[in-house]
Each structure stands twice: as structure tokens, then as C-alpha cells.
Amino acid sequence: QVQLVESGGGLVQAGGSLTLSCAVSGIIISIGDMAWYRQTPGNERESVAIMTSGRSANYADAVKGRFTISRDYAKNTVSLQMNSLKPEDTAVYYCYADVTTNGGYRRNYWGQGTQVTVSS
């Protein structure tokens, strides 16, 4: 029923910029936190940026000052503006949302992931 679809991944040179977007669709009552995570081969998925339902943002230390998370609460979308990209930012990026659907069911949803590759 609920789907999260990411877009905007691709190839970029070090120092460049890229914007990821995520759209949540379905019969939605409310959305709590929305976030971006990333994962590289052999490593755990890690939080990159979180935007709460109260519009507070939190960032991983590695991306502070370079990445900006934004959210359209009316359209149920979340974006990640990535500037000054580094090769170590290369990963599969996943959209996350805490969603309550019709009937009062609440659970976490994940997008399928989008590849970001930063070349040196």
C-alpha cells in the first residue's frame, strides 16, 4: 500500500552537488520522522540525516555543513541536498519514513535505494 520511491542518484565528481528526492504514496494518516540512510558493501546501514515531524533536523558528523535535508509536509516528500561531495560519500542511499496508515497501523517504510557515486 505505502511506497517510498527515491530519485536523483547518479555519478558526480568530487566537490560537486547532487539532490536526492523521495516521494511517499499511499493512504496515509500521518508521517513521523523521515530520514536518509546510506550503506556501502560490507557495512551497516547508517543514518545520514533525519527530519522529525516537528521540523527538527539532525545530521551525521560526516555530512554536517555539506548536506541539507528538507521536507514538504503537505506533499509527503523529503529531499537531501548534497554539496561538496567526497568519494567517501559513495553509497546506496535509502529513504525512510515512519508512517501511520488508515486503520491506525504504524510502521517503518524504506525506499528501494538509489546509488550515489562520487569520483575523484
Side-chain angles (χ1 to χ4, degrees):
Q1 176 83 304
V2 174
Q3 291 185 322
L4 279 63
V5 180
E6 303 105 331
S7 62
L11 301 173
V12 65
Q13 293 184 346
S17 298
L18 203 61
T19 300
L20 306 181
S21 297
C22 174
V24 182
S25 63
I27 307 301
I28 299 167
I29 300 300
S30 64
I31 300 178
D33 293 350
M34 298 187 76
W36 289 96
Y37 286 70
R38 67 186 182 187
Q39 187 171 26
T40 55
N43 295 303
E44 299 288 335
R45 188 172 299 182
E46 64 179 9
S47 174
V48 176
I50 300 172
M51 179 71 78
T52 71
S53 60
R55 307 194 179 205
S56 297
N58 299 104
Y59 298 92
D61 288 342
V63 306
K64 286 181 179 177
R66 300 188 297 118
F67 290 11
T68 302
I69 187 170
S70 61
R71 179 173 171 177
D72 189 323
Y73 291 83
K75 296 181 178 179
N76 294 329
T77 60
V78 64
S79 297
L80 186 68
Q81 176 66 50
M82 304 183 291
N83 298 322
S84 302
L85 282 163
K86 304 174 180 179
E88 51 262 45
D89 294 318
T90 296
V92 177
Y93 284 71
Y94 295 89
C95 182
Y96 161 94
D98 175 9
V99 180
T100 299
T101 61
N102 61 314
Y105 296 103
R106 177 182 177 183
R107 67 181 179 94
N108 300 333
Y109 291 87
W110 294 90
Q112 80 284 0
T114 184
Q115 177 71 46
V116 172
T117 302
V118 184
S119 62
S120 60

